[in-house]
Amino acid sequence: MPEGPSVRKFQLLASRFVGQVVAKVGGSTRKINVNDLNALRLQDSQVHGKNLFLAFVAAGRALGPSTEEPVSQGEAASGTSSPAQVCAPQTHPKEEELQELQCSRPDAPGAAGGPGSWLRFHFGLFGSVRANEFSRANQVNKRGDWKDPVPRLVLHFESGGFLVFYNCRMQWCSSPVADPASDILSAEFHRGQALDALRAPNPVCYTLLDQRYFSGLGNIIKNEILYLAKIHPLTRGSLLAPSDLEHLLDCAIQFSSDWLQSKLRGEGLHLQIYHKEQCPLGHAVMKGTFGPSSGYKRLTWWCPRCQPAVLSGVGEPTPVTE
């Protein structure tokens, strides 16, 4: 599922259409009645972690001030220059369910009759947003044909442009569920709160995927920053020196920011460890499936030479492949 940098790119694509009225709708989703969006005005767009939020109001209403984080003109221009890229799966289904319970509401925007009707998008594997273009098949599917992906939602605007949403879940919200202090790409990201979480006596690869403290950080970012910081995935945070935790957090912020900037420039991401057989120094990479006993397990890649294990009483990680 797309991680924070990808969803930020999606938001920039959608922001082009803020202020425009929906003229026609389509799509395969059954989670909402797509006809409820007809003749509504797209009022605002926000991104929080791995979730995209779009606000709709009746077309006759005046647009209120936007509450989203400021985006530079250069970023906005770059953000609409190329199709969005695909990222890796998300990690905390229980956290998603909590957000859905907080966000879900049965009312369509017309029933509310006023501002504050937000549509929340959470993207699945290969989920994406495209502006003024449809996704085309680039390989044969399991049935042996070249069938194009089916969009979940298509919004055609009076201006003639359109937005297409693929492989995503949608729910109406009264307001976005957000904590900017936990968003790894937010200017309000709280370093102290994140460091406190990392100091816990849990494997750091578990903590990094906890969306309560690292919203938007997913499996790709987790693997890459642990390699950059030279920390074994199963090292307990309580065993790491404060300087190591600071460095790990710096890597998380810098890598996420660099990934976003590469997306805005239409460039691919150069990975060093994720899905690799060798690290950049030529050492053999190991792969394991790690996660809390009561949570979701995620594939993890690490170099045993560059990221040596720290004795912590939990033993060595069990490799799936080598």
Side-chain angles (χ1 to χ4, degrees):
M1 301 174 192
E3 301 182 27
S6 291
V7 183
R8 292 257 167 176
K9 175 71 176 291
F10 300 164
Q11 188 265 337
L12 287 172
L13 291 173
S15 67
R16 296 171 55 183
F17 298 91
V18 168
Q20 298 189 30
V21 176
V22 178
K24 185 173 68 173
V25 295
S28 64
T29 184
R30 296 183 180 180
K31 296 294 184 180
I32 64 169
N33 182 354
V34 296
N35 292 321
D36 289 334
L37 291 161
N38 265 320
L40 295 183
R41 185 188 305 276
L42 177 58
Q43 182 192 32
D44 195 5
S45 64
Q46 295 187 23
V47 58
H48 298 287
K50 299 178 182 178
N51 296 293
L52 173 66
F53 296 88
L54 299 182
F56 293 90
V57 296
R61 287 184 175 271
L63 291 179
S66 173
T67 58
E68 64 183 309
E69 291 184 4
V71 178
S72 70
Q73 292 182 355
E75 287 182 349
S78 301
T80 58
S81 62
S82 62
Q85 300 180 21
V86 176
C87 304
Q90 182 170 347
T91 58
H92 285 276
K94 290 187 177 180
E95 185 73 13
E96 290 176 34
E97 293 170 5
L98 177 60
Q99 288 185 338
E100 288 172 5
L101 289 171
Q102 293 173 314
C103 188
S104 179
R105 53 169 281 199
D107 301 323
S117 292
W118 293 80
L119 193 57
R120 171 186 179 255
F121 295 81
H122 186 78
F123 298 89
L125 187 64
F126 305 123
S128 67
V129 177
R130 291 176 178 260
N132 301 325
E133 65 173 353
F134 290 94
S135 178
R136 301 301 180 190
N138 55 18
Q139 62 182 6
V140 177
N141 62 24
K142 293 180 179 180
R143 296 183 179 181
D145 59 38
W146 288 81
K147 186 177 180 181
D148 291 334
V150 177
R152 296 286 173 86
L153 179 66
V154 184
L155 298 176
H156 295 269
F157 295 91
E158 289 183 344
S159 65
F162 60 92
L163 283 170
V164 192
F165 301 82
Y166 291 96
N167 197 16
C168 57
R169 290 182 293 175
M170 288 161 273
Q171 289 180 304
W172 287 109
C173 307
S174 58
S175 63
V177 178
D179 178 12
S182 69
D183 192 326
I184 194 70
L185 284 169
S186 172
E188 300 177 48
F189 179 68
H190 197 297
R191 285 185 63 96
Q193 175 179 283
L195 287 170
D196 286 343
L198 287 172
R199 291 189 190 101
N202 302 315
V204 287
C205 70
Y206 299 2
T207 306
L208 287 171
L209 294 180
D210 191 329
Q211 299 299 290
R212 295 174 300 175
Y213 309 108
F214 298 95
S215 180
L217 196 156
N219 207 37
I220 292 178
I221 299 175
K222 177 204 78 177
N223 279 277
E224 291 296 306
I225 65 174
L226 284 172
Y227 178 76
L228 290 171
K230 308 306 179 189
I231 294 175
H232 192 286
L234 291 182
T235 303
R236 294 183 182 271
S238 55
L239 297 177
L240 290 170
S243 59
D244 291 332
L245 295 175
E246 291 276 2
H247 181 49
L248 177 60
L249 188 55
D250 288 340
C251 289
I253 295 171
Q254 188 63 53
F255 182 87
S256 300
S257 178
D258 289 347
W259 189 4
L260 174 60
Q261 294 305 314
S262 70
K263 283 184 171 294
L264 299 181
R265 293 191 298 266
E267 300 172 356
L269 180 66
H270 177 66
L271 299 174
Q272 299 194 58
I273 198 76
Y274 185 74
H275 275 287
K276 300 294 185 180
E277 294 183 356
Q278 291 184 331
C279 78
L281 298 180
H283 306 145
V285 167
M286 301 186 73
K287 182 174 72 172
T289 304
F290 305 136
S293 58
S294 60
Y296 198 56
K297 310 296 188 295
R298 301 307 311 275
L299 283 172
T300 302
W301 288 261
W302 77 98
C303 173
R305 293 183 63 181
C306 298
Q307 300 164 263
V310 176
L311 295 179
S312 59
V314 297
E316 291 293 328
T318 302
V320 176
T321 60
E322 188 172 314

